Amino acid sequence: MTAAVVVTPVPAHVPDHVLVMALHGALDYTNADRLREELTAAVGEGHRELLLDLSPLDFCDSTGIRILLSVRRLLQERDGGVTLAGLNSRLARIFRTTGLIHAFTVEPDLAEAVGALNSRPGSE
């Protein structure tokens, strides 16, 4: 059995309005609501961008994807969004097949995601 999803902060040189977190383990219906609560609390009022490193994520079901969309909606209300980095091949295929690849900014890895966020206008 795969471990439940664990959220950890990731130190990164990004603008103050960006929060960088990594998801480890398995994101599924058994822990999706807890993840939504954790991410919502973590972004608080001070962040409008969330960078999620998914490279340590072993599994994500449709409930987990729904949570990612929910957090995306919250941040879009703040004129922000969610960047996903390091999608494994299975998750990338699901995102491409369903069209969700266009709902998020997707970068191949954390380093490229940080670089992209830092190169955006107003990222000082």
Side-chain angles (χ1 to χ4, degrees), residues 2 4 20 28 33 35 64 70 74 95 100:
T2 308
V20 184
D28 62 22
D33 288 333
L35 176 68
S70 172
L74 170 71
F95 271 62
L100 288 173

Side-chain angles (χ1 to χ4, degrees), residues 7 19 21 23 31-50 52 66-78 82:
V7 182
L19 178 64
M21 307 288 281
L23 300 185
N31 54 37
D33 288 333
R34 179 183 54 81
L35 176 68
R36 178 183 33 233
E37 292 169 7
E38 286 185 38
L39 290 178
T40 300
V43 297
E45 294 298 322
H47 299 97
R48 65 177 188 271
E49 296 279 345
L50 176 62
L52 285 175
R66 182 177 51 83
I67 297 308
L68 296 176
L69 287 165
S70 172
V71 173
R72 173 185 164 264
R73 185 175 28 241
L74 170 71
L75 293 173
Q76 281 183 321
E77 292 171 0
R78 301 178 188 177
V82 176

